[in-house]
Amino acid sequence: MDNAFVPMPAVVEDVITETPTIKTFVLSPERPISFRAGQFMQLGIPGLGEAPFTPSSSPFVPERMEITILRTGSVTNALHTLAPGAVVGLRGPFGRGYPVDHFEGREVLVVGGGVGLAPLRALLFWLFHEIDRVKRVSIKYGSREPAELCFRRLHEEWGRLPKVDFTCTIDRPAPGWDGRVGLVTTLLDGLDVDVKEAVVVSCGPEVMLKFVTLKLCDLGFPPEHIFLSMNRNMSCGMGLCGRCNVGPFYLCKDGPDMCYADIKDIPYALG
Amino acid sequence: MLFLGKTRLPLLLSRLAAEYELFAPVPSGDSHRMARSVPGLDPVFPPFRLSSSLRAFWLQPARVLATWSARGPAPGPEPKPRAIIGAKACDLRALEVLDKVLRGQDFVEPAYAAARDRHFIVSGDCTEAAATCFCTLVEGAPWPERGFDLNLSPAGEGFLVEAGSGKGDRFLLAQKDLLDEAPATLVAERDRRRAQVREQVDRQNEMVRPRSPYLQSVGKHLKTRLWGELAATCVECSACNYNCPTCYCFLLHETRDAGEVKRISVQDSCFHAGYSRMAGGGTPRLQLTERFKNHYFHKFVWFRETFGITACTGCGRCVEACMGKIDKRKCLRDLETRWIPTEVVQEL
C-alpha cells in the first residue's frame, strides 16, 4: 500500500497575484491528480510543513492544478515567496467534495466570502461544465474591500455565462467603487429563488458562514439544502490525527463541506 | 485447553526470545514497568495493568511516518519483532480502539500498522484490581478474551495457555513438549479466580455503576452547563490523555537534513488550547469546558457511534494520573444522575 504521508512533487509553473494577500499557484504535479470539486490537497514545502487547500482549478483538468492561497500563517507566508520553477509537495485529494449529485435539476446558490471563493471556483468549473444538469447558478460574493476581491478578472466572464448570474459586494464604501456595499448577507435579500428547492453552497470565514446560515434559515432554506465549507485544522487528511473534528465528524474525511442539517446541533460548530 | 507448569515458563519464553526481542514487567518502586528482558528470566506477572500503558510500543510519542528525498520514498531499517509479556485485558481492548482508527479505515497509519504486525503479545488474567480499575463498567472484564497471541491464566502450579491468533497457534504447536492437557478442575479454578476479580472490580465501583449506557448519559449533555463544574479542577496538563491507552491524536511536523525529509508524528492532546488552532489564530474550542466535553464525547459517544466501541477501557490510569483529582467514573455518574433540562444552553 502506498504511504499517503509521502507527498507527490509538483512544479510551480506560474504564480498569479490575485490581490495583495492572495496568490494563485499553477502547479504541474508529477502525475495527474484526479479530484472532485471541494476535495482538498495538503500542499507543502518539503521540510517546512504543509497546509490544506482546496484546488481552485477545474476538476476536469487533472494534469494541472491551481491552488489559490491567502497569506495567513507560516506555511502560506513561505508559499507566497515561491517563484515559477520551485518544487512543492502535494498529498491528496482528501475529503468527500461537494455533493454535486444533490444539485441535479435545482437552482444552485453559491455564496462566497474573501478567499472562500477559491474552493468554490472548482465547483463553478464543474457547474459551468455540467450546466444542463442544474436549473440555474447564482453567485453571491463579498469581500472587505475592492482590492481583496478574489478572481476579479473573471467576474464579468462568469456573469455573462448562460443560466449564471454573479453579484458582488464589499463591506465598506471605498474610493472608486461604484458597486454594491454591505456584507455578503445583504445579497441574500430579495432572492429570486425557490427557497424550498434550491441548494446553497457557501465558503468563507467562519463568522460569515455563521451569519449566512442564520439568514438562509430565516429565509426558509431547509438545513438539508445548505452545504458549508467548514474551517478546521486539517492536518493528516485521513481522519487519523484527530484535530479537525466537528462533533463526530472529521472534516478531513467527512467534509470539509458539511450539510448544515448534520452539524446544526453541535455547539460552536460555526464558532 | 493446555497447561504450562510454572517451572517451564522460562523455557517457553526463551524459545519466544529466539524469534522476538522480549519485553516483560519488572518491579519498579511500588509498581511495575516494562523492560527489555533476557532469556531465561522468570518474569513477574503483576496483578493488574502497569501504571504506564503499553501504547508506546505501537504508538511511540514521536515516530517517523515517512521519509523521502528527491529520489523518492526512502524505507528505514526493519526493526526486530518484539514480544510483550504480561499485557492485560484493558491493554488489548485499547488495541481494538486504535486498530479501528489507525488501520481500519481507508487510509492506514503506516508506522502503527508496521508496529502492530511486528509485536507478539502474551497477555495474562488480572489476579487483583487496582483501586482505579473500572473495566466492568465499560463492557470489559479483567481477563483477556481476544486480541492476544497467547494468554496465560494462573491456575494450579502454572498457567492455562490459550492461543488467540494464527501466530500464537503456530508458536504453541512447536511447544508441545512443554504443555499438557489441562484437567477440568484447573479450568474451573481459572473461572473461579476470574469471577473473584470481576467481583472485586464491581464491588469497588458499586457507587458509580451506571444505570444506562454511557452513550446515553453522556450524549444528553451536549448543551448543558455541568461541564464547567466537572472541569473545575482540571489544570489542562493532559496527563489523562498521555496515560490513556486509546488516545491517538498527533501533530505532524517535518524535518529536513541533507536533502532527506522526514514527516514525524508527535503525540498530542485535545486538552491543549492550541490543539485545533488554525492558521490565522482561530481556535474552535477556546474554552477548557468545551475541550473537556469534547474528550468525554469523543470517548463515550462519537467514537461509539462511529466505530461501535467505546474509546475507554476502564483501565483507570487517567484517574491515577489526574493532578486535579478528577475521577472519570464520578464524572460519568454525575452526567447520568444530574440531568436538569433547564440547564440546556441555547446555541446556534
Side-chain angles (χ1 to χ4, degrees), chain B residues 2-266:
Chain B
L2 296 166
F3 177 76
L4 174 76
K6 212 174 192 171
T7 52
R8 289 171 169 179
L9 179 62
L11 186 55
L12 181 126
L13 294 181
S14 67
R15 289 181 187 175
L16 198 58
E19 292 177 53
Y20 300 95
E21 190 180 12
L22 233 57
F23 284 78
V26 294
S28 171
D30 55 0
S31 181
H32 295 82
R33 65 180 174 81
M34 277 289 177
R36 192 173 275 110
S37 176
V38 290
L41 180 89
D42 200 357
V44 183
F45 280 91
F48 44 77
R49 88 297 183 273
L50 306 185
S51 315
S52 303
S53 89
L54 305 183
R55 184 177 65 175
F57 281 103
W58 17 88
L59 276 180
Q60 287 101 334
R63 57 194 187 275
V64 177
L65 298 183
T67 306
W68 71 95
S69 65
R71 296 183 303 279
E78 197 66 38
K80 199 179 169 190
R82 287 172 162 179
I84 310 271
I85 316 297
K88 298 296 187 187
C90 51
D91 296 313
L92 301 178
R93 290 188 68 222
L95 282 171
E96 285 182 48
V97 172
L98 298 177
D99 281 354
K100 293 270 186 200
V101 179
L102 299 171
R103 62 172 190 177
Q105 303 191 87
D106 293 348
F107 294 100
V108 169
E109 201 277 47
Y112 173 79
R116 285 285 281 121
D117 289 342
R118 69 170 174 268
H119 278 88
F120 186 96
I121 300 174
V122 181
S123 58
D125 294 7
C126 290
T127 50
E128 285 175 44
T132 55
C133 286
F134 62 101
C135 59
T136 60
L137 303 193
V138 283
E139 298 164 325
W143 62 85
E145 286 171 324
R146 56 189 176 273
F148 51 82
D149 294 301
L150 288 186
N151 186 61
L152 304 181
S153 308
E157 287 302 305
F159 305 91
L160 296 183
V161 186
E162 249 181 299
S165 69
K167 262 196 290 189
D169 275 333
R170 282 191 294 280
F171 179 76
L172 275 195
L173 212 59
Q175 318 305 325
K176 279 186 173 165
D177 57 321
L178 300 180
L179 301 165
D180 302 306
E181 201 56 44
T185 50
L186 286 187
V187 177
E189 183 194 330
R190 178 200 69 177
D191 293 347
R192 197 168 56 246
R193 286 184 179 211
R194 283 180 168 181
Q196 278 170 359
V197 183
R198 185 182 180 104
E199 198 188 313
Q200 187 192 350
V201 180
D202 281 343
R203 201 169 48 240
Q204 71 186 20
N205 292 302
E206 192 47 46
M207 299 301 285
V208 289
R209 174 162 292 283
R211 268 47 173 178
S212 56
Y214 288 137
L215 177 72
Q216 288 167 20
S217 56
V218 178
K220 68 188 179 184
H221 282 278
L222 194 60
K223 296 181 179 180
T224 65
R225 294 186 199 278
L226 188 56
W227 299 100
E229 202 179 309
L230 300 180
T233 57
C234 175
V235 293
E236 306 178 45
C237 67
S238 290
C240 50
N241 283 357
Y242 291 146
N243 283 284
C244 176
T246 72
C247 276
Y248 55 84
C249 291
F250 60 84
L251 170 78
L252 282 179
H253 85 103
E254 291 180 25
T255 60
R256 183 174 199 160
D257 184 23
E260 189 177 76
V261 180
K262 282 188 165 68
R263 176 152 294 147
I264 297 167
S265 114
V266 182

Side-chain angles (χ1 to χ4, degrees), chain A residues 123-135:
Chain A
L123 176 67
L124 293 176
F125 273 114
W126 186 90
L127 287 165
F128 299 159
H129 191 272
E130 304 288 315
I131 197 74
D132 293 339
R133 292 172 61 181
V134 298
K135 208 181 262 180

Side-chain angles (χ1 to χ4, degrees), chain A residues 7-29:
Chain A
M8 182 195 294
V11 177
V12 177
E13 298 289 351
D14 196 9
V15 180
I16 302 163
T17 300
E18 304 284 358
T19 78
T21 54
I22 300 172
K23 287 180 177 178
T24 294
F25 296 83
V26 182
L27 306 175
S28 173

